Amino acid sequence: AVVETTQALERKRARAVHRTFTEVGFARAPIPERTWAALSTYYYNNRHAAQREDWDDLGTSMAFVNWWESQTRLIPMPLRWKERWHRELMPTVAAWAGDVQLQATAFYGMRVYADASWLIRHVDREDTHALSAIMNLDQSDDVEAWPLLIDSLDGETHSLTISPGEMLFYESARCLHGRPLPLKGSRFVNAFVHYRPKDDPHWHAVAGSYSGAAVRWAADHIAVRSEEAREMARRLAAHSGHAWLAGAAAASPSAAPTSSAGSLGGSLTWEAAVALDAAIAILLFGVLCLVARRLRLTGLILARLQRAARPRREKGEAV
């Protein structure tokens, strides 16, 4: 009964949001290379520090994650790193939404889901979570596909998956989303970023729709690497009448999204990120050794100078 009550409330909240920013309501893209390198390296170095996520404040009146059956955990992140990643991702999210001026509101995670976890379909906070992104950081080898079920702005439900190094943009206060099927696998790790129009906590109360800039972004970056995505592009082309989407639907399945600004470039692999981390550590160790050696030599030279000067001072005092 709690699940049904929560679901009904979330549908009502979604209908109360009157402003939208894109044609569909969501899109997939690679995490920008620089941000992915830092995120994945931090996760690799701190993955054993995960702590129990506290859901006790919700009591038994609401159900979003089945924490009482499968406990989620959080990997704590320093505020300065969260703020940096928040800033780095903002231009990418803003471009997807049609060059909207954004304000960073929340960076959540890194959340570690365990076997049998599920997430009820819901919407996010209206005042702070207008435009968001889910970033997948890691999946254990035994994980089966764990789709996100999300409603597009026309009410149709889509099943989407993402891999480590990918993110999913979504209008999180408007599009119902969740993972109602239990996770089959030991580990699935996500982080979440949220934004709203700058200085506008009541953005959701004023009706509005997507801009031409958002349409152009979709033309350049819509993922066409799978039959599912190409079919989505065909449906969207038929619905909207945009010929360029029909062309995107016919593109090669191996064609990767491109960006003239390069902000959505490829991502480093885990192995490359770890190798880069090790190389930096070795370089810093070498620099410290060099500094220590120089300091030692300087100390020896000063000691010799002091010993050489002592007899002269003693001779001068005797005179």
Side-chain angles (χ1 to χ4, degrees):
V2 174
V3 172
E4 286 77 7
T5 300
T6 303
Q7 186 75 83
L9 176 61
E10 295 304 295
R11 290 195 186 96
K12 183 178 179 180
R13 290 178 58 206
R15 290 193 296 268
V17 174
H18 300 292
R19 182 179 177 184
T20 59
F21 299 87
T22 64
E23 279 194 285
V24 182
F26 57 85
R28 259 186 311 226
I31 300 173
E33 182 175 306
R34 177 181 176 182
T35 306
W36 170 239
L39 275 168
S40 58
T41 301
Y42 182 87
Y43 168 73
Y44 178 83
N45 289 334
N46 296 276
R47 65 194 187 281
H48 299 302
Q51 304 171 2
R52 175 183 177 273
E53 185 174 10
D54 186 11
W55 294 94
D56 295 341
D57 290 344
L58 289 178
T60 58
S61 60
M62 299 286 283
F64 292 102
V65 176
N66 61 330
W67 50 270
W68 60 90
E69 295 175 333
S70 181
Q71 182 63 58
T72 55
R73 294 174 297 146
L74 290 176
I75 300 173
M77 294 180 288
L79 180 61
R80 67 182 186 277
W81 283 104
K82 292 169 71 172
E83 290 177 343
R84 170 187 160 179
W85 295 328
H86 227 163
R87 288 193 304 270
E88 289 179 356
L89 291 166
M90 186 185 297
T92 306
V93 177
W96 165 64
D99 296 327
V100 179
Q101 279 196 310
L102 295 181
Q103 176 183 355
T105 56
F107 192 121
Y108 196 76
M110 306 171 172
R111 177 187 280 167
V112 183
Y113 297 94
D115 184 63
S117 290
W118 51 258
L119 181 65
I120 198 170
R121 278 163 37 88
H122 64 284
V123 289
D124 295 343
R125 289 181 53 177
E126 297 89 347
D127 56 337
T128 56
H129 293 32
L131 297 160
S132 306
I134 302 170
M135 296 178 289
N136 186 233
L137 306 177
D138 185 31
Q139 299 177 23
S140 57
D141 293 337
D142 60 346
V143 163
E144 297 182 13
W146 195 33
L148 180 81
L149 298 187
I150 183 169
D151 286 359
S152 54
L153 296 176
D154 61 5
E156 184 178 355
T157 301
H158 301 260
S159 175
L160 301 176
T161 59
I162 54 175
S163 303
E166 289 186 318
M167 61 182 174
L168 179 71
F169 304 125
Y170 61 122
E171 299 190 35
S172 55
R174 177 65 176 80
C175 298
L176 277 169
H177 57 279
R179 300 179 189 271
L181 300 177
L183 172 65
K184 294 182 179 180
S186 56
R187 185 178 66 257
F188 195 98
V189 187
N190 285 342
F192 309 84
V193 288
H194 304 282
Y195 305 88
R196 74 178 179 200
K198 189 174 181 180
D199 300 325
D200 188 6
H202 305 294
W203 63 271
H204 52 89
V206 180
S209 60
Y210 62 89
S211 66
V215 172
R216 288 191 294 274
W217 187 96
D220 291 337
H221 301 98
I222 190 168
V224 292
R225 289 170 296 172
S226 66
E227 182 57 36
E228 171 195 1
R230 290 195 301 278
E231 177 59 28
M232 187 185 303
R234 281 193 286 268
R235 290 200 302 269
L236 185 56
H239 174 73
S240 64
H242 290 301
W244 49 261
L245 277 173
S252 167
S254 63
T258 59
S259 171
S260 58
S263 61
L264 295 176
S267 58
L268 289 179
T269 63
W270 260 84
E271 293 80 3
V274 172
L276 178 61
D277 195 30
I280 293 173
I282 293 171
L283 178 61
L284 290 175
F285 180 74
V287 170
L288 289 174
C289 289
L290 181 60
V291 170
R293 183 176 179 183
R294 297 245 176 164
L295 290 174
R296 183 181 176 190
L297 289 175
T298 302
L300 290 174
I301 292 171
L302 290 174
R304 289 187 180 182
L305 290 174
Q306 289 173 353
R307 285 196 298 270
R310 191 176 300 118
R312 295 192 184 95
R313 290 197 298 270
E314 293 173 354
K315 182 177 180 180
E317 290 170 359
V319 173

